[in-house]
Amino acid sequence: MANKWDERKKALEDEYFVKKEKELIEKLKARKQTETAQAVKEICRMRCPKCGEPLKERSFQKILIDQCTGCGGIWLDAGEMEEVAGREEGSWLGRLWQRTER
Ligand SMILES: [Zn+2]
């Protein structure tokens, strides 16, 4: 028959392993998301979604953006729009971003 201490120890152990397992799952999930995002990014980076021409990386205000060599369209990665708009506060881009954010 298990005494109170053993029960408590067992409960703590279970809790510990559940927590560790959760952490591991979260870590794996996060890694998978990053890997998927990177893979998608690489595929998208190669070709323009509009005309299919290759994209070329160029820097705009120290931010790397993708510009199409065919149609000249500019593609921003997630977060880049905020960065550009944030630096351009008060400009049309900053105002546009602030308006679309809501
Ligand atoms: Zn294009």
Side-chain angles (χ1 to χ4, degrees), residues 8 15-16 21 23 26 34 40-41 44 49 52 55-56 63 74 83 86 90 93 101:
R8 186 162 157 67
E15 203 178 294
Y16 176 79
E21 218 162 86
E23 276 174 17
E26 287 306 312
T34 323
V40 169
K41 209 170 153 184
C44 295
L55 297 176
K56 205 179 155 203
I63 298 166
I74 288 169
E83 265 212 66
L93 188 60
E101 207 173 18

Side-chain angles (χ1 to χ4, degrees), residues 5-56:
W5 170 245
D6 278 342
E7 272 174 36
R8 186 162 157 67
K9 200 174 149 219
K10 179 87 178 65
L12 279 172
E13 267 174 15
D14 284 349
E15 203 178 294
Y16 176 79
F17 284 117
V18 167
K19 205 175 150 220
K20 279 281 152 201
E21 218 162 86
K22 263 193 201 157
E23 276 174 17
L24 194 70
I25 289 167
E26 287 306 312
K27 243 183 237 172
L28 283 174
K29 262 196 215 161
R31 210 171 72 186
K32 203 156 190 194
Q33 267 175 6
T34 323
E35 274 170 17
T36 312
Q38 269 170 359
V40 169
K41 209 170 153 184
E42 291 216 344
I43 293 162
C44 295
R45 192 176 287 283
M46 293 188 286
R47 296 272 161 193
C48 172
K50 201 172 153 195
C51 69
E53 288 301 310
L55 297 176
K56 205 179 155 203

Side-chain angles (χ1 to χ4, degrees), residues 51-69:
C51 69
E53 288 301 310
L55 297 176
K56 205 179 155 203
E57 241 179 18
R58 52 171 286 198
S59 69
F60 173 72
Q61 296 195 353
K62 290 177 188 158
I63 298 166
L64 274 181
I65 55 168
D66 300 308
Q67 185 162 33
C68 176
T69 54

